[in-house]
Amino acid sequence: GSGMNLLQIQDKVWSQVCLRACAPHLEEKLGSPVPSCSVLGAISSYFVQRYGFPAGCKVVAFTGDNPASLAGMKLEEGDIAVSLGTSDTLFLWLQEPMPALEGHIFCNPVDAQHYMALLCFKNGSLMREKIRDESASCSWSDFSEALRSTEMGNSGNLGFYFDVMEITPEITGRHRFSAENRQVSAFPGAVEIRALIEGQFMAKRIHAEGLGYRVMPKTKILATGGGGASHNRDILQVLADVFGAPVYVTDTANSACVGSAYRAFHGLAAGTDVSFSEVVKLAPNPRLAATPTPGASQVYEDLLPQYAKLEQRILSQTPGPP
C-alpha cells in the first residue's frame, strides 16, 4: 500500500484524495490494508489441484520487492543497508520518518510500528569505475592504495561527481572544492579518489538524515551489491568512518526472495506475538568487514555540514531537468 503511494502511512488507511485521483471505486477493488504479517487465509483450491499445494497452505500478506529486501537482509531498528551497484541504493529502518520530495517512505514490512526509507543515487559503480580508470590506471589495487595513503577528511578537499543527472539531488557535472571552499578544476589522483568515495558516502548520510534517520549506538551497516565496491575493504572502511558505524557484508543473493520466505515464516508465527528478529535468529549472519577508525566521528561531524552547504550551492546554480 505505501509502495503505491496510496496509503496514509501513519494511520495505515487508504488516502481518499489519492484514491480519487487514480480511479473511481478503487477502494472496493483494493480491499482493506492489513499488517504485513497477516495471514489472509488458505491457498486457492486451484493451486491445490493444479500444482499440488497442501490444502492447508496459508497465504501471508504481500509486500513489494524493496521492503522484502529489507526483510531478507534482516535489518533491525537503526540499521542501514547499502547496495553498491550501478546505482547505489540505501534502505533505512526509521522510527520517526520525515517524508520529503526526495526518497521514498514505506511502512516497515516486519514491524508495523516503524517505517523504512529508500534513497537511490544514480552515479554509483560506473562513476567509481571511471575515476579508477582515470586516476588509478584501471587498477582496483591502486585505487585502494590511494584510499589508504590519504587521510580521513581528505585535508578538507571535497568533490561531487555526477557524470549523469543525479536523482538525489538533481545535479550533473563534476565539482571540486579546496579546503578553502574555492572551486578547482582538478585534484591529484589519490585526492580525487578519496574525494569521490567520501563524497558518495557523505551524500548518503546527509540525505538519510533528511528523511529522519539517525545513527544509533547499535547501528550496523549491511553492504551488498554486485559492483565490486561491497567487496573492497578500503571502500567499506570509508563507509564505516563516514557513518560512524560498523560495516558488515553478506553472501545472501536475491534478498527480496529470501525476505519473502522469512516474512511467510514470520506470518505463521506472528499469532504468538513472536518478533521478526526472533523468527530469523538462526538464519546466516553477515560478516564484519570494517569498524570506524578512532577519531573518524569528529572528522566527519565537521565535514558533513560543509558538504551539505556546497551541495546546496551547486544545486542553486544547476538548471533543472527539461
Side-chain angles (χ1 to χ4, degrees):
S2 57
M4 294 189 290
N5 286 333
L6 295 179
L7 196 74
Q8 294 177 195
I9 59 174
Q10 286 86 3
D11 301 328
K12 310 294 193 292
V13 296
W14 298 120
S15 163
Q16 295 302 316
V17 172
C18 293
L19 293 179
R20 286 195 297 270
C22 288
H25 313 298
L26 190 52
E27 186 169 12
E28 301 167 21
K29 298 173 183 176
L30 291 173
S32 299
V34 297
S36 295
C37 61
S38 302
V39 175
L40 303 179
I43 197 167
S44 163
S45 60
Y46 169 84
F47 292 99
V48 174
Q49 295 164 11
R50 176 145 189 187
Y51 296 107
F53 279 86
C57 178
K58 304 298 183 185
V59 177
V60 176
F62 296 77
T63 193
D65 58 341
N66 289 314
S69 288
L70 180 143
M73 290 183 278
K74 299 198 303 173
L75 261 64
E76 298 177 342
E77 182 182 348
D79 287 351
I80 311 169
V82 182
S83 177
L84 299 170
T86 303
S87 293
D88 289 347
T89 306
L90 247 64
F91 299 97
L92 307 163
W93 182 299
L94 297 179
Q95 280 186 302
E96 299 293 336
M98 296 190 294
L101 294 178
E102 290 182 346
H104 308 272
I105 305 287
F106 301 88
C107 295
N108 191 299
V110 299
D111 187 327
Q113 304 307 311
H114 291 172
Y115 303 86
M116 69 166 283
L118 183 149
L119 284 163
C120 191
F121 301 83
K122 195 167 187 179
N123 291 268
S125 64
L126 297 183
M127 194 71 247
R128 289 186 286 271
E129 289 167 8
K130 281 187 179 181
I131 297 299
R132 175 205 62 188
D133 294 349
E134 295 169 11
S135 301
S137 304
C138 304
S139 167
W140 280 121
S141 61
D142 290 353
F143 190 99
S144 293
E145 176 57 31
L147 290 176
R148 291 192 297 270
S149 67
T150 47
E151 63 182 8
M152 289 186 298
N154 212 14
S155 301
N157 295 296
L158 298 172
F160 300 76
Y161 300 84
F162 309 120
D163 278 9
V164 295
M165 177 65 78
E166 187 48 81
I167 298 169
T168 313
E170 291 182 338
I171 296 175
T172 189
R174 299 187 187 185
H175 311 269
R176 303 171 183 86
F177 296 87
S178 69
E180 297 76 33
N181 289 340
R182 288 199 301 269
Q183 195 148 10
V184 296
S185 59
F187 286 145
V191 174
E192 181 98 313
I193 288 168
R194 179 164 280 276
L196 166 72
I197 299 301
E198 285 188 337
Q200 287 187 329
F201 292 146
M202 282 195 285
K204 289 170 177 54
R205 179 167 177 178
I206 288 164
H207 289 282
E209 291 179 346
L211 291 177
Y213 178 80
R214 295 296 179 267
V215 175
M216 303 168 64
K218 64 178 183 178
T219 291
K220 59 183 182 295
I221 301 171
L222 191 63
T224 66
S230 63
H231 304 291
N232 185 309
R233 193 192 178 287
D234 297 290
I235 291 177
L236 297 182
Q237 184 62 58
V238 178
L239 175 59
D241 290 342
V242 168
F243 276 85
V247 175
Y248 293 78
V249 294
T250 178
D251 293 327
T252 300
N254 304 312
S255 58
C257 294
V258 174
S260 296
Y262 288 166
R263 288 186 56 262
F265 195 38
H266 182 221
L268 295 179
T272 57
D273 294 325
V274 178
S275 69
F276 180 78
S277 59
E278 179 67 19
V279 167
V280 299
K281 67 180 181 181
L282 297 180
N285 289 319
R287 303 185 311 279
L288 180 64
T291 56
T293 305
S297 175
Q298 188 57 53
V299 170
Y300 293 106
E301 287 300 327
D302 293 341
L303 266 187
L304 283 160
Q306 184 60 27
Y307 188 92
K309 286 180 186 176
L310 289 172
E311 184 183 89
Q312 287 303 310
R313 177 172 149 190
I314 298 166
L315 193 56
S316 69
Q317 299 169 353
T318 303

